[in-house]
Amino acid sequence: MDVDLKSPLFKKGVKAMKYDLKDKHVMIEHSKTGEKVQIKIGYSWTVFFFGSFVFLFRLDWVAFIISTLILTALYQIFPALYNSSYYPVSLMWALYAFFYNGSYLKRALKGNWVPADATSRNRLYEKGYVKTHCYELEPKEEN
């Protein structure tokens, strides 16, 4: 995908970037270990279908504890949920899926994770996750 050079995010002399990330994905890198992870920005279908198992697989203990507390509170407030079908719990996961990827990404960026490339940094800037964007400048020719 080519970047629109007429976009206000780019200055004159900027070379168009090519990348293989999907439009709604960013690549972040751990600043100490160099490990790279691709994260989707937007709705989390995995949370919708698999619920709290996603938090366990990603080792996201904060989200796991929050979701467990929310479910426990719902079951205490509405004891009929124990005897009902899975629909109320599915509704909770459908709503939480709207917010999970964004909150996971914010917590990662507050930790030791940084955008892995200029494309990811620009996407995160456009969505408001980072405060500065990155220009991919043309390499200087040496004589």
Side-chain angles (χ1 to χ4, degrees), residues 19-139:
Y19 47 87
D20 58 350
L21 291 173
K22 296 176 185 170
D23 287 339
K24 294 185 177 185
H25 289 79
V26 293
M27 186 72 69
I28 60 173
E29 179 178 15
H30 195 273
S31 59
K32 295 180 181 176
T33 63
E35 177 186 1
K36 292 185 179 182
V37 176
Q38 184 175 338
I39 298 178
K40 180 182 177 192
I41 298 174
Y43 193 79
S44 177
W45 287 101
T46 54
V47 169
F48 176 74
F49 287 113
F50 301 111
S52 60
F53 291 111
V54 176
F55 315 139
L56 293 175
F57 292 135
R58 290 187 181 179
L59 301 177
D60 189 1
W61 303 115
V62 172
F64 179 74
I65 290 170
I66 290 172
S67 66
T68 303
L69 291 174
I70 289 172
L71 279 176
T72 304
L74 283 175
Y75 284 134
Q76 294 299 321
I77 295 170
F78 305 108
L81 288 178
Y82 280 121
N83 301 327
S84 68
S85 64
Y86 189 67
Y87 295 119
V89 177
S90 297
L91 178 63
M92 188 203 82
W93 290 127
L95 295 175
Y96 195 66
F98 278 106
F99 307 104
Y100 176 67
N101 282 342
S103 66
Y104 179 71
L105 188 56
K106 284 178 185 176
R107 285 193 309 274
L109 291 172
K110 285 182 181 177
N112 292 325
W113 294 87
V114 295
D117 55 12
T119 303
S120 296
R121 179 171 284 283
N122 287 335
R123 284 185 186 164
L124 291 171
Y125 175 75
E126 289 172 1
K127 298 291 183 180
Y129 291 104
V130 294
K131 297 185 186 212
T132 59
H133 53 76
C134 181
Y135 294 111
E136 186 74 26
L137 300 176
E138 294 180 18

